[in-house]
Amino acid sequence: MPDATTPRPLPSVLLFSVVPVASWFIVRPLITPVPPLPALHVSVGISMLTLLSAIYLVPALGPTFVKANLKGRDLLKTYNTPIPESLGLVCACIYILSLIIFIPFAFSSISLSGSHTQYTVREGIIINEFPHYQLSVYLSSILSILVATMLGFLDDVFDIRWRHKLPIPIIASIPLLMVYYAERGNTNIVVPIPLRPVFGALLNLVGPLYYLYMSMLSTFCTNSINILAGINGSETSQAVVIAFSVVLNDLLYLPWPSDFRIPVYLLGSRSEVEIGGIWSAGMAYGSRELVERHLFSLYFMLPLLGVCLGFLYHNWYPARAFPGDTLCYLTGMAFAVVGIQAHFSKTLLLFFLPQIFNFVLSCPQLFGLVPCPRHRVPRFDSDTNLLYPSKALFMKPPSGLSTFVLRIFEALRLTELTTHPQTGVILEATNLTILNFLLVKLGPMNEKRLTQTLIGIQIGGSVLAFTVRYGLAGLVFDGDRR
Amino acid sequence: MPDATTPRPLPSVLLFSVVPVASWFIVRPLITPVPPLPALHVSVGISMLTLLSAIYLVPALGPTFVKANLKGRDLLKTYNTPIPESLGLVCACIYILSLIIFIPFAFSSISLSGSHTQYTVREGIIINEFPHYQLSVYLSSILSILVATMLGFLDDVFDIRWRHKLPIPIIASIPLLMVYYAERGNTNIVVPIPLRPVFGALLNLVGPLYYLYMSMLSTFCTNSINILAGINGSETSQAVVIAFSVVLNDLLYLPWPSDFRIPVYLLGSRSEVEIGGIWSAGMAYGSRELVERHLFSLYFMLPLLGVCLGFLYHNWYPARAFPGDTLCYLTGMAFAVVGIQAHFSKTLLLFFLPQIFNFVLSCPQLFGLVPCPRHRVPRFDSDTNLLYPSKALFMKPPSGLSTFVLRIFEALRLTELTTHPQTGVILEATNLTILNFLLVKLGPMNEKRLTQTLIGIQIGGSVLAFTVRYGLAGLVFDGDRR
């Protein structure tokens, strides 16, 4: 199959039709009448260009990566051709450059005359201030993402050990935490109703605790994407679905020019949700702060969606390029940044349901109860071209605790065990990842099908997340939906 | 010579005595009475720790770099052992981490109650504001340095071509320029007296021109250090001398607790320079803004000095570690950042005199008048252990312009030409770098001696720079010494 590793052809006509559309979005705010949310127009335009850049630069730079020894064999294929690895770096460069180029648009006089300017009223005097605070937050966010990218790439080049890897996202989140600390930020989190008798309505996680929560969030977001990897397109498609979910969630809070209603009571809520009306509608219910938070999130998520979609074109089965750890760290950190800075970390975690499931499932292997081989990807059978669950082999009989946990997992049909016919001692267990779980549950399938199933689950998780967030959140939290 | 490539021994006792001193500097601002400039104390302490980290981490991580194929042969040695390359990356990580960790100290309430807080008087109301603007500037500076590091490391890994390399510092300076633009910064530069009839006293380089000047400065600072390379310790020692000069210059502007005078008229100035007195003395002459600018510069230069000194210990002849392009981009960008953000770009350029000389000397080779081989380092003679000027060979007879330029350079004794005995056509010319120039001028010498000569010239350049800046500047600029 020599054609499987040549770069995918680029549909030039289709792609170049994107350029005028993107240019229109970028130029539009300069034409009077200035549209509401001018910076968002620019962001949409830039995001289209990031998609285009990713689609063109990834195959163009592939050979350079192979030459620099950043290459890998595809373990689940019959051919042996080296595939360029770590191309998440190209995505990262495009993404970060687009975020930097966006700064003057977000903070120019045109944008500021609209949504961003803060009119501080002090003793009756209205002062029109430049949003320095927002700029600091924006810059520290880019800084965190860049540190994560850098460390992800170092991981690819130096192949850092698992134990040394874990603190990487903590280091990357330092700029965020530092700015939070320097600004003496609001470290309250809203406590769910059942726990209020214990903690009170607003838990002020003073000092270390809240910072711990934030760095744990960064650690979780980056590593959970990284461990749900191994088949073509898995990391990238997760990022695409999560980014798309965050964008959808953000859009709910924007001041739409027209007024319309969504009958959320169908989803189990007690009331309808009104969306629309300038500054006075959307889920923000007139809160300028909420609108700005979600605009901030959009400015980071739209170009991320752009690069990831562009990269997915080349990373799709059979993959012509691998993302490397760089893409996992980049996307994970970007999600953590918007979750923290735009204050919707709980909603964000809901979009990570498949990752949480995969993490919990992996725990026995991550914490040493079950042997953890170097690669836990499914086993490829070249005769049938199908994937089968891969297995972890017990070199010595498992301890009582390991047996207990594995028996429970087996009862829940999360793993398949091979036991000694006489003694009943566990000899092998399928590796504890969501991919192997799917193969146990649904039977062997080919790689493309498995990726599609994974995407389906991720989308299903997001639908569930929206239901929980806007349908059921009323049961757990009261009206203050932030 | 097997011992030449084993890591240099670390004088543990001396080094660990640094830890308590550094800790004292970091803790001191927490003890009442709070010293003036508390954040500077912390910066000094952190810088000592960066020195220590560099000295310990560089040899510890060397084998990892060799394993990741980041290694090189020392061209000017008899042995062939691979030396770890690109260890500037370790310096960069330590440096950037120290800058990030410093944020809460620079912007904490203790520091702010002292020097940093701005009391804005508006209509008679005094408002105590958090210095968001300074935070943005600080963050964008780290961002620029990090982008430069990243691109420098990519250069090391992918070996980017010279033409593609040139825009790297421009990309890295984008965050600086963007923040400048977003803040609608002051784009005036003070015009030298002789040019004032043409331009007026303050040249407002509106828009593109000033941004061009700033990105050219970044490009010059990074590339000029990069092309003055090739012998053990050359890049690092340049960075050390320049950083030290910038620190000295900054110290002149600080509010010293005691009052003393320097008789600068010895250097040709028209008056004495008073240094001292809290907030009312130093070269800042009571300008809080000038003091803050030079504090900003110190916060970036002190840890840089720390890592570079630590690295020099291992990079010194015979080198156990090479800096790679990463260190050149890191240090160059750090200098450009302080020059731009603390508004002393002209003074900064004076500290680059040897680099400017080297750049002008290199121009005929850089712009294709004279053939430019891949490496222009001096030629090593293993019998005598001495370095001789290396030569560029003309494959075809040089053009009239090339001959003209080379004849002038020969007359100035900047190069040595080999001509055809009959026709007089130039056959060879010594490579046009300051290193080959020194070998032409002073005769062959060993590598260590050449590095020492280079350091001597760099120090001489800085002495000259201080003389011009504080002695002769009065002739070119009037009293407004910024």
Side-chain angles (χ1 to χ4, degrees), chain A residues 18-31 35 37-49 102 105 302:
Chain A
V18 171
V19 173
V21 179
S23 312
W24 184 84
F25 270 102
I26 294 173
V27 173
R28 179 66 190 83
L30 299 174
I31 303 165
L37 310 178
L40 187 61
H41 279 75
V42 178
S43 182
V44 171
I46 289 181
S47 302
M48 290 177 181
L49 295 182
F102 181 63
F105 295 100
L302 290 175

Side-chain angles (χ1 to χ4, degrees), chain B residues 90-113:
Chain B
V90 175
C91 301
C93 290
I94 298 169
Y95 178 58
I96 289 163
L97 200 61
S98 76
L99 287 178
I100 289 174
I101 288 175
F102 181 63
I103 297 176
F105 294 100
F107 296 91
S108 71
S109 50
I110 293 171
S111 310
L112 294 178
S113 66

Side-chain angles (χ1 to χ4, degrees), chain B residues 327-455:
Chain B
L327 191 85
C328 303
Y329 282 101
L330 168 76
T331 53
M333 199 67 206
F335 295 134
V337 158
V338 297
I340 291 170
Q341 304 281 35
H343 299 262
F344 57 83
S345 55
K346 295 191 299 289
T347 310
L348 181 73
L349 281 176
L350 284 176
F351 297 136
F352 274 78
L353 287 179
Q355 282 72 25
I356 293 173
F357 175 75
N358 187 54
F359 174 71
V360 172
L361 190 62
S362 297
C363 277
Q365 285 194 304
L366 295 181
F367 295 111
L369 282 179
V370 174
C372 186
R374 179 84 181 79
H375 289 286
R376 302 193 295 162
V377 286
R379 185 173 56 80
F380 174 64
D381 185 77
S382 55
D383 296 333
T384 57
N385 205 26
L386 294 180
L387 299 183
Y388 295 85
S390 63
K391 288 176 179 182
L393 187 72
F394 283 91
M395 303 305 283
K396 51 183 186 186
S399 67
L401 181 60
S402 302
T403 309
F404 177 70
V405 170
L406 282 174
R407 288 290 177 200
I408 291 178
F409 275 26
E410 190 192 26
L412 297 168
R413 300 192 54 194
L414 298 171
T415 183
E416 242 170 34
L417 304 177
T418 318
T419 51
H420 194 280
Q422 272 96 51
T423 59
V425 172
I426 298 170
L427 300 174
E428 285 181 330
T430 57
N431 279 312
L432 302 169
T433 69
I434 197 169
L435 296 176
N436 289 305
F437 160 72
L438 289 174
L439 293 171
V440 167
K441 197 90 179 173
L442 307 172
M445 55 179 104
N446 70 31
E447 191 177 353
K448 188 177 174 185
R449 186 69 189 284
L450 186 56
T451 311
Q452 288 167 336
T453 312
L454 192 68
I455 295 175

Side-chain angles (χ1 to χ4, degrees), chain B residues 6-331:
Chain B
T6 52
R8 215 153 256 162
L10 302 168
S12 316
V13 181
L14 183 71
L15 287 176
F16 279 105
S17 66
V18 170
V19 173
V21 179
S23 312
W24 184 84
F25 271 103
I26 294 172
V27 173
R28 178 64 190 85
L30 298 176
I31 303 165
T32 44
V34 176
L37 309 178
L40 187 60
H41 280 73
V42 178
S43 182
V44 171
I46 289 181
S47 303
M48 290 176 181
L49 295 183
T50 63
L51 187 145
L52 219 58
S53 314
I55 260 189
Y56 276 90
L57 284 178
V58 167
L61 293 174
T64 317
F65 277 68
V66 172
K67 222 171 65 189
N69 209 27
L70 290 164
K71 59 187 177 190
R73 232 204 99 216
D74 197 327
L75 297 172
L76 309 179
K77 299 290 182 301
T78 49
Y79 49 87
N80 238 325
T81 334
I83 308 284
E85 171 84 62
S86 306
L87 274 151
L89 182 68
V90 175
C91 301
C93 290
I94 298 169
Y95 178 58
I96 289 163
L97 200 61
S98 76
L99 287 178
I100 289 174
I101 288 175
F102 181 63
I103 297 176
F105 294 100
F107 296 91
S108 71
S109 50
I110 293 171
S111 310
L112 294 178
S113 66
S115 61
H116 269 276
T117 321
Q118 295 182 327
Y119 295 92
T120 315
V121 180
R122 276 187 184 123
E123 309 274 331
I125 302 160
I126 295 172
I127 299 162
N128 189 339
E129 283 178 357
F130 183 85
H132 290 294
Y133 171 69
Q134 278 95 325
L135 185 59
S136 303
V137 169
Y138 190 90
L139 289 171
S140 70
S141 303
I142 301 181
L143 200 52
S144 274
I145 293 171
L146 188 52
V147 172
T149 303
M150 183 96 189
L151 294 170
F153 185 61
L154 292 189
D155 189 4
D156 282 334
V157 172
F158 296 112
D159 212 4
I160 305 172
R161 251 173 293 168
W162 192 79
R163 271 176 304 145
H164 298 160
K165 248 184 218 188
L166 210 62
I168 286 182
I170 300 179
I171 296 175
S173 63
I174 290 179
L176 283 187
L177 306 187
M178 290 285 142
V179 170
Y180 224 86
Y181 172 73
E183 307 274 359
R184 275 148 292 172
N186 177 9
T187 49
N188 293 323
I189 59 167
V190 181
V191 177
I193 291 172
L195 299 175
R196 287 201 188 160
V198 188
F199 295 113
L202 279 175
L203 183 61
N204 188 3
L205 293 174
V206 195
L209 261 188
Y210 192 75
Y211 295 109
L212 193 70
Y213 168 69
M214 291 200 289
S215 53
M216 285 294 112
L217 187 71
S218 328
T219 312
F220 174 74
C221 290
T222 48
N223 283 310
S224 67
I225 293 181
N226 208 5
I227 63 173
L228 210 172
I231 58 171
N232 289 173
S234 57
E235 303 93 330
T236 322
S237 58
Q238 290 171 65
V240 167
V241 176
I242 297 173
F244 191 71
S245 309
V246 174
V247 167
L248 265 188
N249 182 54
D250 289 333
L251 289 180
L252 293 180
Y253 292 84
L254 291 197
W256 292 97
S258 61
D259 208 317
F260 60 96
R261 280 155 183 254
I262 299 179
V264 263
Y265 54 81
L266 294 180
L267 301 175
S269 180
R270 286 167 297 190
S271 66
E272 291 184 335
V273 173
E274 261 190 79
I275 293 177
I278 289 169
W279 294 121
S280 59
M283 295 288 287
Y285 297 113
S287 157
R288 173 165 285 178
E289 200 185 342
L290 266 184
V291 172
E292 292 199 346
R293 282 178 185 175
H294 287 278
L295 277 175
F296 173 90
S297 168
L298 280 173
Y299 298 157
F300 279 80
M301 284 297 112
L302 290 174
L304 188 72
L305 199 56
V307 280
C308 286
L309 279 174
F311 183 65
L312 190 57
Y313 183 75
H314 301 286
N315 186 222
W316 188 250
Y317 178 90
R320 266 76 163 176
F322 291 150
D325 292 331
T326 317
L327 191 85
C328 303
Y329 282 101
L330 168 76
T331 53

